[in-house]
Amino acid sequence: MTIRRPLDGMLVLDLGQIYNGPYCGMLLGFMGARVLKIEPPEGDVVRRRKRDVEPYPLVMLNTNKESVVLDLKQERGKQIFLDLARKADVVVENFAVGVMDRLGIGWDVLRKINPRLVYGGSSGYGLDGPYRDLAAMDVTIQAMSGIMSATGQQDGPPTKAGPAVCDFMAGIHLCAGILGALVQRERTGEGQRVEVAMHEAAVIGLASALGAMMDGDANVPERTGNRHPALAIAPYNTYPCADGHVAIFTSAERHWQAMCRLLGRAELLEAPGYATMPERAQRMAEIDDMISAWTIGRTKDEVLRLLNEAHVPGSPVKTVREVARDPHLEARGFWVDVDHPRRGRTRVPISPIRLHAGGPAEVRAPAPTLGQHTETVLAELLGLGPDERAALAASRTTTPVR
């Protein structure tokens, strides 16, 4: 077999649900693995959000997968899963702690039947500790991790981040752990369990806010709006333009010097109280007012052009609608149009991981409909005949979503 991508020839059983596990499985699929999305008869939780057509998030996160419906609560469904696990390289799941064990298909069972298996599991809080059995979703992890407390205006309430940051951060960490375990397997011949707690993956993102606390900066509030989380950098904010807002961030002295020239305030380069970043941070409101006065009479595109010419980090604040048609993403080939069996022509993203030696990221197949590949997979990988496949389908206790 010709290996073009790093995971070509590998088999992944993806039991992931919602975003965390499925995103990990998607990344593995873009790296070449054959990914079987193992779904209950009623389908992935996200699939159930709409009954007439696959919801877009499901289509977005399950590219390059095959859907196999198995009722793991029935003995025959469990046995088929175990037969597939004997052939698999990776199992991915993000159930609550203990679910896989109660189903009889947990790590202790799987490692006995397939010692080379890499088992990647992501839960809310990990396999031990006092929070282990707490129910967890992205929003609850945002609350528990401090993300929600660190988000929002200083005089406002704790605010949820718009994206599902905890789900996706955990999914990325899970993918990285699985890849590391596969490398170790090449060296030792043995698989292993990979564990990622959403809670821990989320806390990592609080580096600046944690820095303020660890460094003893007692005057830094929990929430700083669009300013730096530790209130340590100025300018660092969003500023009004004639047609929206821009974000500007001066992380180095050369950025500040260029910003002064753009503002027509070259005298600030020599003015007391502006020489260092800590000094400027003490004048944050004053500096923000100066920059706002400069941006308000200009368009976002004009501000971006001037900032770019001066080598000052900045960007327009784009809407989700603008991002979906962003010319840079278009030029990079990030969006691909696929023909989905039920949605028709649909735009989906490719993997952000670009492996240049293997060629461009490739959409080999759109996200599957529920159970689309069950019969093919069971016949091809396990050799089940048509009568047994028909009996299995008839034994399902829950009516699938169509």
Side-chain angles (χ1 to χ4, degrees):
M1 177 183 182
T2 301
I3 302 297
R4 187 167 67 88
R5 294 160 301 212
L7 302 186
D8 279 347
M10 291 192 179
L11 178 65
V12 175
L13 306 185
D14 181 358
L15 289 158
Q17 52 182 338
I18 310 182
Y19 296 161
N20 178 350
Y23 185 57
C24 173
M26 188 196 87
L27 294 175
L28 298 175
F30 269 106
M31 291 185 220
R34 182 179 185 181
V35 182
L36 306 185
K37 182 176 178 62
I38 308 297
E39 300 190 65
E42 64 272 22
D44 184 325
V45 174
V46 173
R47 194 186 290 277
R48 298 175 229 161
R49 292 178 182 176
K50 291 184 178 180
R51 299 189 65 88
D52 56 335
V53 69
E54 276 73 8
Y56 182 76
L58 182 127
V59 174
M60 174 182 175
L61 296 178
N62 290 282
T63 302
N64 294 338
K65 299 182 187 180
E66 302 167 62
S67 174
V68 175
V69 170
L70 292 177
D71 189 344
L72 298 176
K73 295 179 181 179
Q74 290 195 10
E75 188 61 28
R76 185 57 182 137
K78 182 176 75 173
Q79 288 303 318
I80 289 176
F81 177 82
L82 293 174
D83 288 341
L84 289 171
R86 289 184 175 90
K87 299 175 177 291
D89 296 280
V90 176
V91 166
V92 175
E93 57 93 359
N94 62 304
F95 293 119
V97 173
V99 169
M100 291 286 282
D101 292 328
R102 289 195 294 273
L103 289 171
I105 54 173
W107 167 240
D108 289 337
V109 172
L110 296 181
R111 67 176 174 177
K112 292 177 182 177
I113 66 172
N114 184 354
R116 288 178 53 81
L117 183 70
V118 171
Y119 178 107
S122 178
S123 61
Y125 300 99
L127 298 176
D128 53 18
Y131 298 164
R132 189 192 89 139
D133 295 321
L134 291 179
M137 297 292 286
D138 186 89
V139 67
T140 63
I141 298 296
Q142 286 197 37
M144 187 71 85
S145 67
I147 287 179
M148 191 177 290
S149 180
T151 305
Q153 296 299 324
Q154 180 176 342
D155 57 352
T159 304
K160 180 183 77 69
V165 289
C166 301
D167 273 329
F168 285 98
M169 289 176 75
I172 295 165
H173 281 81
L174 186 60
C175 178
I178 288 170
L179 294 176
L182 287 171
V183 171
Q184 188 167 358
R185 189 183 72 173
E186 290 302 303
R187 296 171 174 173
T188 66
E190 296 181 0
Q192 63 175 288
R193 185 174 198 167
V194 177
E195 176 200 357
V196 172
M198 292 173 65
H199 186 214
E200 295 167 1
V203 169
I204 292 295
L206 292 172
S208 293
L210 285 169
M213 186 271 293
M214 296 289 189
D215 292 340
D217 297 333
N219 293 326
V220 176
E222 283 284 320
R223 291 175 290 286
T224 60
N226 293 323
R227 289 174 167 169
H228 187 263
L231 295 182
I233 299 175
Y236 180 120
N237 210 336
T238 56
Y239 303 93
C241 293
D243 58 349
H245 290 79
V246 294
I248 298 176
F249 169 30
T250 58
S251 61
E253 290 303 315
R254 67 181 184 277
H255 299 149
W256 167 247
Q257 294 163 7
M259 195 73 234
C260 288
R261 297 185 182 97
L262 283 175
L263 295 173
R265 299 293 303 273
E267 75 277 6
L268 295 178
L269 297 174
E270 306 295 334
Y274 294 90
T276 67
M277 186 69 76
E279 288 177 306
R280 294 193 292 274
Q282 295 300 313
R283 298 173 178 267
M284 190 170 293
E286 175 189 336
I287 291 173
D288 281 348
D289 287 344
M290 284 192 290
I291 295 179
S292 293
W294 178 75
T295 59
I296 192 65
R298 294 173 168 84
T299 65
K300 292 185 293 184
D301 286 345
E302 182 183 1
V303 171
L304 178 62
R305 176 180 61 79
L306 292 170
L307 291 173
N308 188 54
E309 290 173 353
H311 304 290
V312 176
S315 69
V317 178
K318 293 198 172 189
T319 66
V320 174
R321 187 176 297 277
E322 288 173 323
V323 171
R325 296 295 175 183
D326 187 289
H328 179 79
L329 295 177
E330 296 279 1
R332 290 267 296 167
F334 178 74
W335 297 110
V336 177
D337 290 325
V338 299
D339 291 315
H340 189 267
R342 297 185 67 197
R343 289 182 64 101
R345 199 71 169 166
T346 303
R347 166 168 286 210
V348 297
I350 63 168
S351 167
I353 300 173
R354 308 291 180 97
L355 299 171
H356 287 231
E362 180 184 7
V363 175
R364 304 188 299 280
T369 57
L370 180 60
Q372 180 179 343
H373 304 93
T374 303
E375 293 208 10
T376 301
V377 167
L378 298 187
E380 177 187 337
L381 293 182
L382 301 183
L384 299 189
D387 291 343
E388 190 169 6
R389 298 198 306 270
L392 181 68
S395 70
R396 293 172 190 153
T397 57
T398 308
T399 302
V401 178
R402 295 297 183 189

